[in-house]
Amino acid sequence: MPLSGVELMKLSEAELLELFQPTKCLICGVTLHETTTGCRKVEGGCECSDCYFKTFSEELERHPIAVPRMHRGA
Amino acid sequence: MNTILLSDEQVAAYLRDLLERLSALGEAYPRVWCPIGPSGGRVAQAAMREVGRSASDIQHVPVAFERATGVVSFPRDPHPEDTVKGKNVLLIDGAIHSGNTFAKVYRAVEALGVAEICSYSLVVRRGATALPSFFGLAIGDHDRALFLKRRFPNNRLSNFGWVRKLAEEDDTRPMIKCGEDFIDKFSWGDLLYEMRVDQRRRTYLYERKGDAHGFVSFRLTPGETILVDAGCRQDIPAAGGGGALDALGRDLRAQRALRRDRAVGRR
């Protein structure tokens, strides 16, 4: 059923959020929003930037970024 | 990156203008509104406050978009066509970033047999691939606009310590050892030298209690893409926020648009 404008106005912030079945972070479950939590696509869904960088950080620790390049004196 | 803050009053002023323009359509005034996602819902809510008593004449068919799958759905109504068929509809969104969501929703609503679609977004990013018929504010590709929120998010690096550009005095500091040959053979002097001979080269380190716990070395292209050459961290359990790379990654994002697809990472 559609909502009337009056019904829409009466919705609380939480009710409004749930109404749209928003995408949630696969790891922590926070509701994702581009400008506030970030929304990063990963395999199987999306993650917030906090979780994404945490995972990225752990991954980097296992596989440090390193590409061959010129060094001093080479 | 610029952050644009819109007060509730400024949002209301944009919406009053929108409502006047819709009213000018006369008989074509859309009486079915489709708010897109929570931000579209918030803007529609704010618009209803401006509409006042006539709000009960407008029907809202909320539209959800699942980002991971790209599926458009109508969570309040399994048969939205019963409400929208043959009617003029307003699609209303908070912000259009890439235009991808808007385009998919537009096509999905169009497929329901509506008469006409007009559309509104409070904010539109300049590089968006789709534009609505009305919009309030245009922002740059790396800007963000905050509106109708109870709190605004701060940028955050880490709970403790600080991030800074590598400096001459670091030359004598012990180098971080991460167990990766490619990286462990660098010295701080190597990284300083590269910054000196290449003005686009940057190395930032994460320091806590006087010790370096991580660094990232990258090059800025003329187009301001960040190409990461090397990065490592040492785990600091009490630092919080995922450690040094978390901090460094955020720092980079805060300064430039980090094009992660160009970074040499594994995931």
Side-chain angles (χ1 to χ4, degrees), chain A residues 13-25 29-33 39, chain B residues 37-39 42 63-68 73 75:
Chain A
E13 195 173 337
E15 288 169 332
L16 188 77
L17 261 184
E18 283 312 306
L19 175 65
F20 289 93
Q21 300 173 347
T23 307
K24 297 192 174 175
C25 174
V30 71
T31 299
L32 297 177
H33 192 271
C39 180
Chain B
S39 76
R42 274 191 285 269
V63 186
F65 179 73
E66 175 54 57
R67 289 174 186 275
S73 63

Side-chain angles (χ1 to χ4, degrees), chain A residues 6-7 10 12-13 15 18-21 24-25 28 33-35 42 44-45 47 49 53 57 60-62 65:
Chain A
V6 175
E7 287 172 316
K10 284 181 183 167
S12 68
E13 195 173 337
E15 288 169 332
E18 283 312 306
L19 175 65
F20 289 93
Q21 300 173 347
K24 297 192 174 175
C25 174
C28 70
H33 192 271
E34 199 90 31
T35 53
V42 295
E47 289 176 10
S49 290
F53 279 109
S57 179
L60 192 82
E61 195 174 21
R62 284 195 286 274
I65 293 171

Side-chain angles (χ1 to χ4, degrees), chain B residues 67-113:
Chain B
R67 289 174 186 275
T69 58
V71 172
V72 175
S73 63
F74 301 88
R76 280 277 300 191
D77 198 342
H79 302 291
E81 61 276 11
D82 295 346
T83 306
V84 305
K85 196 167 186 177
K87 296 192 178 152
N88 289 351
V89 167
L90 172 71
L91 293 186
I92 185 163
D93 202 351
I96 293 177
H97 296 282
S98 67
N100 184 39
T101 302
F102 179 79
K104 287 197 169 155
V105 170
Y106 192 100
R107 291 198 182 103
V109 171
E110 196 174 39
L112 297 174

Side-chain angles (χ1 to χ4, degrees), chain B residues 218-227 257-259 261-262:
Chain B
F218 59 94
R219 189 173 191 280
L220 287 172
T221 69
E224 299 206 335
T225 294
I226 291 172
L227 302 175
L258 174 58
R259 297 271 294 273
D261 56 337
R262 302 290 295 274

Side-chain angles (χ1 to χ4, degrees), chain B residues 27 30 79 112 115 129 146 153 213 238:
Chain B
E27 287 300 305
H79 302 291
L112 297 174
T129 55
L146 300 174
H213 286 281

Side-chain angles (χ1 to χ4, degrees), chain A residues 1 3 5 8 11 13 19-20 34 39-42 50 52-53 55 57 59 61 65 69-71, chain B residues 35 45 55 58 60 64 67 75-76 150 156 183 186 194 230 233 242 246 250 253 260 264 266-267:
Chain A
M1 286 292 290
L3 284 165
L8 184 77
L11 293 179
E13 195 173 337
L19 175 65
F20 289 93
E34 199 90 31
C39 180
R40 294 168 181 278
K41 270 192 184 177
V42 295
D50 280 357
Y52 177 85
F53 279 109
T55 311
S57 179
E59 198 67 22
E61 195 174 21
I65 293 171
R69 57 184 174 160
M70 296 287 283
H71 295 298
Chain B
Q45 253 186 343
I58 296 172
H60 293 266
R67 289 174 186 275
R76 280 277 300 191
R150 283 195 302 122
R156 182 164 56 86
I183 291 179
F186 292 157
E194 288 182 349
R233 67 162 194 163
D246 194 9
R250 283 169 193 283
R253 285 197 314 122
R260 197 183 146 265
V264 186
R266 301 176 182 86
R267 183 171 163 78

Side-chain angles (χ1 to χ4, degrees), chain B residues 177-234:
Chain B
K177 295 295 177 193
C178 66
E180 180 74 25
D181 288 346
F182 275 138
I183 291 179
D184 285 348
K185 69 183 178 188
F186 292 157
S187 68
W188 294 121
D190 291 328
L191 298 168
L192 282 165
Y193 177 80
E194 288 182 349
M195 279 205 289
R196 188 175 295 166
V197 298
D198 181 351
Q199 297 300 309
R200 291 188 165 275
R201 175 79 55 190
R202 305 277 190 279
T203 296
Y204 280 81
L205 60 84
Y206 173 64
E207 186 180 297
R208 188 171 174 230
K209 293 182 181 176
D211 295 326
H213 286 281
F215 77 89
V216 63
S217 182
F218 59 94
R219 189 173 191 280
L220 287 172
T221 69
E224 299 206 335
T225 294
I226 291 172
L227 302 175
V228 180
D229 289 315
C232 74
R233 67 162 194 163
Q234 286 176 343

